[in-house]
Amino acid sequence: MTVFENLQQIIQDIEAAQPQDVEALEQFRIKYLGSKNIIKPLSKGFRDVPNEQKKEFGQLLNKAKQDAEQKFQGLKDNLETAADEAVGDDLDLTAPAEPIALGSRHPVSITMNRIIDIFSRIGFAVAEEREIEDDWHNFTAMNTPEDHPARDMQDTYYLKNSTSMLLRTHTSSVQARTMTTQQPPIRIIAPGRVYRNETISARSHCQFHQVEGLYIDKDVSFADLKQTLLYFAEEMYGVGTKIRLRPSYFPFTEPSAEMDVSCFICDSKGCNVCKYTGWVEILGCGMVDPKVLENCGIDPEIYSGFAFGMGVERQAMMQYGINDIRLLFENDVRFLQQFQSAL
Ligand code: DAH
C-alpha cells in the first residue's frame, strides 16, 4: 500500500467511525488527534512522494487532520446533548423540593430563651462565660469558705490532677468574672450549663442549666430585687402570679432568700407539682455580700446590688409536665419534637 492509499484509507475510516460513548470517542481522539496519532507518521513520508503529487498529498494530509478534528467535535457535542437530555428526562424543575425534616427547640432552650427575653426587656445584658472554671471565681470570690461542702470532691468535678480547675457548679462564677472586668453599673443575666457530681435519677442530674442575675449600682435596695423578681414571675407565669420570699442562706448574699411563686399549675389550689402547698420554689437570691464586691474590686461603700440564680430544668419540667429530668439529656427525637416555640 502506498502512503497515498494509506492516507485515503484513514480518511475513509474517519468518516465511517461511529463512536457511541465517551470511552469510544476518547479512543477516536487518541487514534487520530492524540500525540501519537496515526496521521503523523504519514506526513514523514512526504519527501518520498514524487514532486508532481506533493501538492495533492499535502491537501489530503490536511483533509485527514481537519476531518478528524471536525468529526471529533461533532461527536462530542452530540454525546453531551444526549447526556443533558437523559438527565432532563427525570428532572422536573417545577416539582416541590424534597421535604427537609425541621428541628424543634429543646424545652430547656425554650425555657431559657423565655427567661432571657424577659430580663432583656428591662435592660439586663446576656453574659456568657466558661464552663471550666477556676476555684477562685467559682468559690473563693463568691465568699464560699474553704470548708464549705460544695467544695468537696463529692460534689464538684475537679479536672484531673488539679485542685484548682473545675467544672463550674453554678453560674454565680459569672458574677465574679463580670465584676472583675467591668465597673458598675452592672446589669447582667448569665445563662449556662453547670455540673455537679450527683447520682443521676428522675429528679437530679450531673449537668443542668441555670440563669444567674446580677445588678450592681449605687443605692440598689432589697425593694429593687423584690420588684424585679415580681416582674419576672408575672411575665413567666402569668399576670397575678404571687411571689413569696423565704429567708435562706447563701455565702455570696446577705440577706439571702428563696423565692416561691404561687402554683401556676393548680392556681394555688394544691396539686402534685406544688405538693399541695400552693407554692413552687423557683430561685435563690439576695443582696450581694459586701465581701464579694470587695473580692472583685468594687467598693461596697459606694455600690450595692442584688443577685439571683435559678435552675432551668425544673421550670421547664413543671411547665411541660415532664416527670423525668433524664429525658432532657437523652436527645430522643420522639420526645424532643413535641415542643414548639416562637423563641
Ligand atoms: N448559686 C446558687 C446555687 O447554685 C443559686 C443562687 C442563690 C444564686 C442566690 C444567686 C443568689 O445569685 O443570690 O444554688
Side-chain angles (χ1 to χ4, degrees), residues 201-235:
S201 71
R203 301 247 126 232
S204 67
H205 209 285
C206 59
Q207 55 173 331
F208 51 99
H209 296 76
Q210 291 187 331
V211 178
E212 190 84 11
L214 177 69
Y215 180 32
I216 311 280
D217 206 343
K218 288 175 183 153
D219 304 321
V220 178
S221 73
F222 201 91
D224 296 320
L225 168 62
K226 200 171 168 185
Q227 187 57 42
T228 304
L229 293 180
L230 178 61
Y231 157 78
F232 165 70
E234 288 206 298
E235 289 295 305

Side-chain angles (χ1 to χ4, degrees), residues 33 38 44 79 100 109 148 175 203 276 337:
L33 298 166
I38 61 168
K44 288 206 185 92
L79 276 178
I100 299 168
S109 300
H148 194 283
Q175 289 192 35
R203 301 247 126 232
Y276 299 92
Q337 68 192 1

Side-chain angles (χ1 to χ4, degrees), residues 10-143:
I10 289 175
I11 291 172
Q12 275 175 25
D13 288 351
I14 290 174
E15 202 183 332
Q18 282 302 342
Q20 294 298 321
D21 53 30
V22 181
E23 220 165 285
L25 181 64
E26 179 61 5
Q27 292 305 323
F28 177 91
R29 190 192 65 78
I30 292 169
K31 188 171 178 184
Y32 297 108
L33 298 166
S35 58
K36 291 182 182 151
N37 68 64
I38 61 168
I39 304 170
K40 239 185 214 172
L42 293 182
S43 51
K44 288 206 185 92
F46 191 74
R47 61 186 129 88
D48 301 330
V49 173
N51 272 347
E52 65 275 14
Q53 290 182 349
K54 270 195 166 54
K55 187 176 170 203
E56 193 190 346
F57 185 74
Q59 282 171 343
L60 273 181
L61 258 183
N62 280 342
K63 180 172 163 45
K65 285 184 211 162
Q66 278 166 10
D67 281 4
E69 184 63 42
Q70 269 175 15
K71 180 107 187 188
F72 173 74
Q73 274 309 332
L75 288 165
K76 190 165 164 253
D77 290 349
N78 284 349
L79 276 178
E80 280 172 1
T81 319
D84 285 352
E85 278 170 1
V87 173
D89 277 351
D90 25 281
L91 182 71
D92 178 1
L93 294 175
T94 64
E98 288 286 318
I100 299 168
L102 271 189
S104 55
R105 285 226 192 279
H106 193 284
V108 169
S109 300
I110 298 174
T111 306
M112 199 143 80
N113 288 347
R114 284 192 58 208
I115 298 169
I116 292 171
D117 187 53
I118 291 168
F119 283 105
S120 300
R121 274 184 261 142
I122 52 168
F124 282 77
V126 173
E128 281 186 305
E129 266 299 342
R130 62 209 75 187
E131 292 175 15
I132 298 175
E133 217 6 306
D134 57 43
D135 182 87
W136 191 83
H137 289 87
N138 196 80
F139 292 128
T140 312
M142 300 313 293
N143 202 31

